[in-house]
Amino acid sequence: MNATSPNNFPTIRTCQRCHKLITYSYGSPSLCPECIDKDKDDYSKVKEYIQAHANTTVFEVSQVTGVSLKVIMQFVREDRVQIIDTKNKINLKE
């Protein structure tokens, strides 16, 4: 049985962020509870900074908030934030 089975049987996976072993069920997050909390905290920091500083870059958001570029780019892939031009300006997804 693989981890993408729609039968909803739990399987063992590693957390996408910290690589600890977690129990995974189809459709559930691929993060451990600690990383889910960290993800929410990181997103809040990014969101607040972008709201307060229009026309900011991905690099500036990372530097000021302490949230890694890797995590911010994950937010982009998840369609939570968007890069709005070729100069890496970032904005919240509307």
Side-chain angles (χ1 to χ4, degrees):
M1 176 88 25
N2 66 31
T4 60
S5 170
N7 294 328
N8 223 15
F9 293 116
T11 59
I12 302 297
R13 275 193 170 178
T14 57
C15 173
Q16 287 181 337
R17 196 179 255 192
C18 71
H19 307 290
K20 285 190 221 172
L21 291 178
I22 59 171
T23 302
Y24 173 83
S25 295
Y26 181 76
S28 66
S30 294
L31 299 173
C32 69
E34 294 84 10
C35 288
I36 289 172
D37 291 342
K38 176 81 170 123
D39 185 70
K40 288 177 184 177
D41 184 50
D42 286 347
Y43 182 71
S44 291
K45 289 176 189 177
V46 168
K47 180 179 176 181
E48 288 172 19
Y49 189 80
I50 292 171
Q51 287 175 331
H53 301 88
N55 295 318
T56 190
T57 66
V58 175
F59 305 106
E60 182 181 340
V61 172
S62 177
Q63 186 175 28
V64 172
T65 63
V67 177
S68 73
L69 285 174
K70 180 180 177 181
V71 170
I72 294 172
M73 295 311 295
Q74 183 65 37
F75 295 156
V76 171
R77 284 188 293 280
E78 292 170 353
D79 216 20
R80 294 161 81 179
V81 297
Q82 62 185 353
I83 295 177
I84 56 175
D85 67 19
T86 59
K87 295 179 182 163
N88 292 318
K89 300 265 173 107
I90 192 168
N91 202 350
L92 294 173
K93 187 71 177 176
E94 295 182 18

